mmCIF file of all heavy atoms in Angstrom:
data_model
loop_
_atom_site.group_PDB
_atom_site.id
_atom_site.type_symbol
_atom_site.label_atom_id
_atom_site.label_comp_id
_atom_site.label_asym_id
_atom_site.label_seq_id
_atom_site.Cartn_x
_atom_site.Cartn_y
_atom_site.Cartn_z
ATOM 1 N N ASP A 1686 88.685 105.369 126.624
ATOM 2 C CA ASP A 1686 87.742 104.286 126.193
ATOM 3 C C ASP A 1686 87.972 104.020 124.718
ATOM 4 O O ASP A 1686 88.295 104.820 123.936
ATOM 5 C CB ASP A 1686 86.294 104.715 126.504
ATOM 6 C CG ASP A 1686 86.053 104.679 127.931
ATOM 7 O OD1 ASP A 1686 86.745 104.030 128.690
ATOM 8 O OD2 ASP A 1686 85.207 105.529 128.423
ATOM 9 N N ARG A 1687 87.617 102.753 124.349
ATOM 10 C CA ARG A 1687 87.816 102.344 122.998
ATOM 11 C C ARG A 1687 86.689 103.000 122.131
ATOM 12 O O ARG A 1687 86.903 103.367 120.977
ATOM 13 C CB ARG A 1687 87.676 100.868 122.914
ATOM 14 C CG ARG A 1687 88.311 100.266 121.710
ATOM 15 C CD ARG A 1687 88.400 98.770 121.949
ATOM 16 N NE ARG A 1687 88.580 98.129 120.667
ATOM 17 C CZ ARG A 1687 88.159 96.876 120.419
ATOM 18 N NH1 ARG A 1687 87.672 96.137 121.442
ATOM 19 N NH2 ARG A 1687 88.315 96.353 119.280
ATOM 20 N N PHE A 1688 85.609 103.156 122.666
ATOM 21 C CA PHE A 1688 84.493 103.720 121.946
ATOM 22 C C PHE A 1688 84.026 105.062 122.663
ATOM 23 O O PHE A 1688 83.948 105.137 123.844
ATOM 24 C CB PHE A 1688 83.235 102.838 121.896
ATOM 25 C CG PHE A 1688 83.546 101.571 121.189
ATOM 26 C CD1 PHE A 1688 83.951 100.387 121.902
ATOM 27 C CD2 PHE A 1688 83.694 101.514 119.764
ATOM 28 C CE1 PHE A 1688 84.254 99.246 121.276
ATOM 29 C CE2 PHE A 1688 84.015 100.308 119.127
ATOM 30 C CZ PHE A 1688 84.331 99.201 119.888
ATOM 31 N N PRO A 1689 83.832 106.085 121.848
ATOM 32 C CA PRO A 1689 83.412 107.349 122.483
ATOM 33 C C PRO A 1689 82.002 107.248 123.002
ATOM 34 O O PRO A 1689 81.170 106.341 122.615
ATOM 35 C CB PRO A 1689 83.461 108.385 121.352
ATOM 36 C CG PRO A 1689 83.354 107.515 120.074
ATOM 37 C CD PRO A 1689 83.961 106.239 120.353
ATOM 38 N N LYS A 1690 81.656 108.117 123.960
ATOM 39 C CA LYS A 1690 80.306 108.120 124.489
ATOM 40 C C LYS A 1690 79.274 108.432 123.420
ATOM 41 O O LYS A 1690 79.530 109.374 122.578
ATOM 42 C CB LYS A 1690 80.181 109.134 125.657
ATOM 43 C CG LYS A 1690 79.383 108.702 126.832
ATOM 44 C CD LYS A 1690 79.387 109.755 127.907
ATOM 45 C CE LYS A 1690 79.203 109.082 129.245
ATOM 46 N NZ LYS A 1690 80.288 108.213 129.700
ATOM 47 N N LYS A 1691 78.126 107.723 123.421
ATOM 48 C CA LYS A 1691 77.121 108.066 122.399
ATOM 49 C C LYS A 1691 76.386 109.353 122.752
ATOM 50 O O LYS A 1691 76.046 109.569 123.924
ATOM 51 C CB LYS A 1691 76.189 106.885 122.291
ATOM 52 C CG LYS A 1691 76.794 105.698 121.696
ATOM 53 C CD LYS A 1691 75.869 104.491 121.551
ATOM 54 C CE LYS A 1691 74.842 104.833 120.385
ATOM 55 N NZ LYS A 1691 75.437 104.903 119.051
ATOM 56 N N THR A 1692 76.210 110.218 121.774
ATOM 57 C CA THR A 1692 75.549 111.415 121.957
ATOM 58 C C THR A 1692 74.290 111.630 121.164
ATOM 59 O O THR A 1692 73.661 112.666 121.150
ATOM 60 C CB THR A 1692 76.505 112.546 121.624
ATOM 61 O OG1 THR A 1692 77.039 112.330 120.325
ATOM 62 C CG2 THR A 1692 77.633 112.637 122.642
ATOM 63 N N ASN A 1693 73.957 110.635 120.319
ATOM 64 C CA ASN A 1693 72.795 110.783 119.382
ATOM 65 C C ASN A 1693 71.522 110.517 120.019
ATOM 66 O O ASN A 1693 71.432 109.717 120.995
ATOM 67 C CB ASN A 1693 73.069 109.980 118.126
ATOM 68 C CG ASN A 1693 73.126 108.448 118.482
ATOM 69 O OD1 ASN A 1693 73.626 108.170 119.480
ATOM 70 N ND2 ASN A 1693 72.628 107.692 117.541
ATOM 71 N N HIS A 1694 70.455 111.025 119.535
ATOM 72 C CA HIS A 1694 69.088 110.771 119.932
ATOM 73 C C HIS A 1694 68.203 110.472 118.749
ATOM 74 O O HIS A 1694 67.704 111.297 118.138
ATOM 75 C CB HIS A 1694 68.518 111.994 120.706
ATOM 76 C CG HIS A 1694 69.351 112.375 121.867
ATOM 77 N ND1 HIS A 1694 69.407 111.668 123.000
ATOM 78 C CD2 HIS A 1694 70.277 113.363 122.046
ATOM 79 C CE1 HIS A 1694 70.265 112.242 123.903
ATOM 80 N NE2 HIS A 1694 70.783 113.284 123.299
ATOM 81 N N PRO A 1695 68.037 109.103 118.503
ATOM 82 C CA PRO A 1695 67.252 108.774 117.364
ATOM 83 C C PRO A 1695 65.829 109.362 117.357
ATOM 84 O O PRO A 1695 65.167 109.424 118.425
ATOM 85 C CB PRO A 1695 67.202 107.221 117.420
ATOM 86 C CG PRO A 1695 68.353 106.847 118.254
ATOM 87 C CD PRO A 1695 68.612 107.982 119.213
ATOM 88 N N GLY A 1696 65.383 109.867 116.191
ATOM 89 C CA GLY A 1696 64.067 110.514 116.097
ATOM 90 C C GLY A 1696 63.132 109.626 115.364
ATOM 91 O O GLY A 1696 63.092 108.426 115.585
ATOM 92 N N GLU A 1697 62.354 110.274 114.446
ATOM 93 C CA GLU A 1697 61.273 109.511 113.790
ATOM 94 C C GLU A 1697 61.823 108.577 112.785
ATOM 95 O O GLU A 1697 62.961 108.713 112.305
ATOM 96 C CB GLU A 1697 60.232 110.461 113.167
ATOM 97 C CG GLU A 1697 60.647 111.190 111.889
ATOM 98 C CD GLU A 1697 61.568 112.379 112.159
ATOM 99 O OE1 GLU A 1697 62.083 112.605 113.289
ATOM 100 O OE2 GLU A 1697 61.730 113.193 111.216
ATOM 101 N N THR A 1698 61.029 107.634 112.317
ATOM 102 C CA THR A 1698 61.468 106.626 111.331
ATOM 103 C C THR A 1698 61.665 107.373 109.946
ATOM 104 O O THR A 1698 60.752 108.164 109.545
ATOM 105 C CB THR A 1698 60.461 105.550 111.129
ATOM 106 O OG1 THR A 1698 60.391 104.801 112.392
ATOM 107 C CG2 THR A 1698 60.832 104.538 110.032
ATOM 108 N N ILE A 1699 62.796 107.067 109.289
ATOM 109 C CA ILE A 1699 63.022 107.725 108.015
ATOM 110 C C ILE A 1699 62.974 106.689 106.907
ATOM 111 O O ILE A 1699 62.515 106.975 105.772
ATOM 112 C CB ILE A 1699 64.371 108.560 108.045
ATOM 113 C CG1 ILE A 1699 64.762 109.059 106.607
ATOM 114 C CG2 ILE A 1699 65.546 107.723 108.600
ATOM 115 C CD1 ILE A 1699 65.852 110.026 106.698
ATOM 116 N N LEU A 1700 63.463 105.529 107.232
ATOM 117 C CA LEU A 1700 63.565 104.488 106.112
ATOM 118 C C LEU A 1700 62.863 103.163 106.552
ATOM 119 O O LEU A 1700 63.106 102.744 107.665
ATOM 120 C CB LEU A 1700 65.053 104.167 105.834
ATOM 121 C CG LEU A 1700 65.356 103.095 104.771
ATOM 122 C CD1 LEU A 1700 65.153 103.601 103.353
ATOM 123 C CD2 LEU A 1700 66.806 102.644 104.971
ATOM 124 N N GLU A 1701 61.989 102.654 105.695
ATOM 125 C CA GLU A 1701 61.340 101.457 106.030
ATOM 126 C C GLU A 1701 61.667 100.396 104.882
ATOM 127 O O GLU A 1701 61.385 100.686 103.760
ATOM 128 C CB GLU A 1701 59.834 101.580 106.111
ATOM 129 C CG GLU A 1701 59.402 102.402 107.328
ATOM 130 C CD GLU A 1701 57.976 102.868 107.116
ATOM 131 O OE1 GLU A 1701 57.082 102.127 107.390
ATOM 132 O OE2 GLU A 1701 57.827 104.003 106.676
#
Side-chain angles (χ1 to χ4, degrees):
Chain A
D1686 292 332
R1687 203 166 156 205
F1688 300 99
K1690 217 177 210 63
K1691 290 183 70 68
T1692 50
N1693 60 326
H1694 301 285
E1697 75 278 17
T1698 296
I1699 173 169
L1700 177 76
E1701 293 162 81

